């Protein structure tokens, strides 16, 4: 088994190459392992490095040092390559994907990671690249854009940055006129706060947007929320963050929930689009599940399936 570490020094607040990598690499070497280490310098480079290592052949475990975006890039690089397993030492702003599988302490333990097994997980194909967690169009993607700016402010954590980003977004234009198609069979039109496609459950530093999502069932969870009266938004946001929106009476006039394999979104005007925290302005987006397209390393400690509380 070969081991590879791909470090995003721009992830989170601290440079992982200086704060996290040395101790973890030392633990690997102590076990007689000699991991190859790379530092990324630009977006997309983690995918290129992961693909290059996987194409060398033979069993390889590739660990991302970063957040959900870095993990998604590594997953993109190994898509379709059965010899590669991917893992993460979380050091991003949100670190949301791992909440389904264990704690930060579990994932930051080199001993638990080395003894961990891998399991198949689904990925999401988009026009902008592969996602491993959550994709969306609308208000929450605009929040992610604001979050990227706010998390550079001293003492503002990933969760706080998302909350502040939400407040900032609420003072802008709320709602996008969207046409949404699910699996070429259902279509919805109207003014939506946002629409998301999820393989994981959490995003935005702890928002449980897809509380029933299962990362290896070959399906995506689609959550679409129509624009509610402004005065209801603070209460709805609290329920949404806690993952109590699916089936809730408070959401019955605004929320649409489906499971399927593909979502297509068309916007009258350019709208913010989010892919594992990476944001772009788009007029159209599509999200298609790639069943069991990667193998994800879960630390040895028994993982409890993520439950939104």
């Amino acid at each position: 088994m070969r081991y590879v570490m791909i470090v995003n020094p721009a992830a989170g607040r601290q440079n992982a190459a200086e704060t996290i990598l040395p101790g973890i690499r030392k633990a690997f070497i102590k076990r007689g392992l000699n991991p190859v280490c790379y530092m990324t310098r630009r977006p997309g480079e983690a995918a290129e490095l992961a693909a290059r290592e996987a194409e060398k052949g033979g069993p390889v475990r590739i660990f991302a040092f970063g957040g959900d975006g870095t993990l998604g890039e590594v997953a993109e690089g190994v898509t379709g390559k059965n010899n590669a397993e991917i893992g993460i030492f979380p050091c991003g702003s949100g670190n949301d994907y791992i909440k389904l599988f264990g704690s930060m302490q579990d994932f930051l333990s080199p001993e638990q990671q080395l003894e961990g097994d891998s399991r198949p997980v689904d990925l999401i194909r988009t026009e902008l690249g592969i996602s491993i967690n959550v994709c969306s169009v609308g208000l929450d993607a605009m929040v992610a854009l604001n979050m990227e700016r706010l998390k550079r402010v001293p003492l503002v954590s990933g969760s706080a940055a998302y909350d502040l980003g939400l407040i900032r977004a609420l003072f802008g234009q709320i709602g996008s006129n969207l046409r949404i198609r699910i699996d070429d069979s259902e279509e919805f039109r109207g003014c939506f706060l946002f629409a998301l496609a999820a393989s994981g459950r959490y995003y935005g530093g702890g928002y449980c947007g897809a509380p029933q999502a299962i990362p290896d069932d070959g399906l995506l969870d689609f959550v679409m929320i129509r624009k509610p009266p402004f005065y209801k938004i603070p209460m709805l946001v609290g329920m949404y963050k806690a993952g109590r929106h699916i089936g809730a009476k408070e959401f019955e006039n605004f929320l649409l929930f489906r499971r399927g394999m593909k979502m297509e979104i068309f916007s009258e005007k350019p709208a913010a689009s989010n892919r594992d925290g990476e944001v772009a302005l788009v007029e159209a987006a599509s999200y298609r599940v790639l069943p069991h397209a990667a193998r994800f390393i879960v630390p040895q400690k028994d993982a409890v399936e993520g439950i939104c509380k």
Side-chain angles (χ1 to χ4, degrees):
M1 177 73 74
R2 292 185 295 114
Y3 293 89
V4 177
M5 298 175 174
I6 299 178
V7 183
N8 177 4
R13 291 199 160 276
Q14 297 179 326
N15 187 333
E18 298 175 354
T19 59
I20 297 176
L21 175 64
I24 291 174
R25 188 170 183 271
K26 183 178 179 180
F28 274 61
I29 294 174
K30 189 175 181 180
R31 288 197 172 203
L33 308 174
N34 188 24
V36 176
C37 298
Y38 296 101
M39 305 292 162
T40 63
R41 296 161 294 179
R42 54 180 170 78
E45 190 174 13
E48 297 168 9
L49 293 168
R52 186 188 311 163
E53 287 294 331
E55 287 165 1
K56 291 180 180 179
V60 59
R61 284 190 159 188
I62 304 175
F63 289 96
F65 284 67
D68 295 329
T70 308
L71 177 62
E73 284 195 23
V74 170
E76 181 167 6
V78 306
T79 301
K81 299 175 177 66
N82 297 327
N83 62 310
E85 301 172 330
I86 62 172
I88 184 170
F89 286 95
C91 43
S93 297
N95 307 306
D96 289 302
Y97 186 70
I98 66 169
K99 291 181 173 70
L100 272 168
F101 304 100
S103 67
M104 283 283 289
Q105 290 75 16
D106 295 334
F107 278 86
L108 287 173
S109 166
E111 293 78 18
Q112 290 177 239
Q113 290 272 28
L114 285 170
E115 295 298 328
D117 293 323
S118 67
R119 56 175 287 179
V121 293
D122 303 330
L123 301 177
I124 307 172
R125 183 178 296 284
T126 82
E127 291 93 339
L128 301 176
I130 295 295
S131 163
I132 196 171
N133 192 31
V134 176
C135 300
S136 63
V137 169
L139 178 68
D140 63 343
M142 183 56 68
V143 173
L145 181 61
N146 292 338
M147 176 183 174
E148 282 298 308
R149 299 164 179 163
L150 288 164
K151 71 183 183 182
R152 302 188 186 102
V153 178
L155 303 180
V156 178
S157 66
S159 178
Y162 193 94
D163 293 337
L164 292 171
L166 173 61
I167 293 171
R168 182 173 179 177
L170 290 175
F171 283 95
Q173 180 179 349
I174 300 175
S176 301
N177 290 318
L178 304 178
R179 177 166 62 91
I180 304 170
R181 191 160 57 215
I182 306 294
D183 287 344
D184 297 321
S185 60
E186 285 188 285
E187 188 166 291
F188 308 97
R189 296 172 182 259
C191 186
F192 288 83
L193 278 187
F194 59 84
L196 68 80
S199 179
R201 295 186 182 181
Y202 299 86
Y203 71 139
Y207 280 71
C208 191
Q212 299 178 16
I214 300 172
D216 60 357
D217 64 352
L219 297 172
L220 299 178
D221 279 28
F222 303 125
V223 179
M224 301 156 277
I225 299 183
R226 296 187 184 275
K227 181 181 177 181
F230 186 84
Y231 72 90
K232 290 190 175 185
I233 290 179
M235 178 268 293
L236 297 178
V237 166
M239 294 183 65
Y240 180 78
K241 183 174 185 178
R244 295 188 289 110
H245 48 293
I246 305 295
K249 182 178 180 181
E250 292 85 348
F251 279 84
E252 63 183 0
N253 295 323
F254 312 112
L255 187 146
L256 298 166
F257 172 68
R258 297 290 188 275
R259 277 203 177 98
M261 300 186 70
K262 182 176 69 171
M263 169 189 271
E264 296 171 284
I265 301 175
F266 307 93
S267 177
E268 289 185 358
K269 299 179 180 179
S273 169
N274 161 60
R275 175 179 61 98
D276 293 346
E278 303 296 323
V279 184
L281 294 177
V282 302
E283 293 184 354
S286 68
Y287 308 120
R288 182 190 297 271
V289 68
L290 298 176
H292 292 189
R295 293 196 66 88
F296 181 67
I297 301 163
V298 179
Q300 183 186 48
K301 181 180 178 180
D302 292 338
V304 178
E305 185 179 358
I307 299 174
C308 305
K309 296 181 181 180

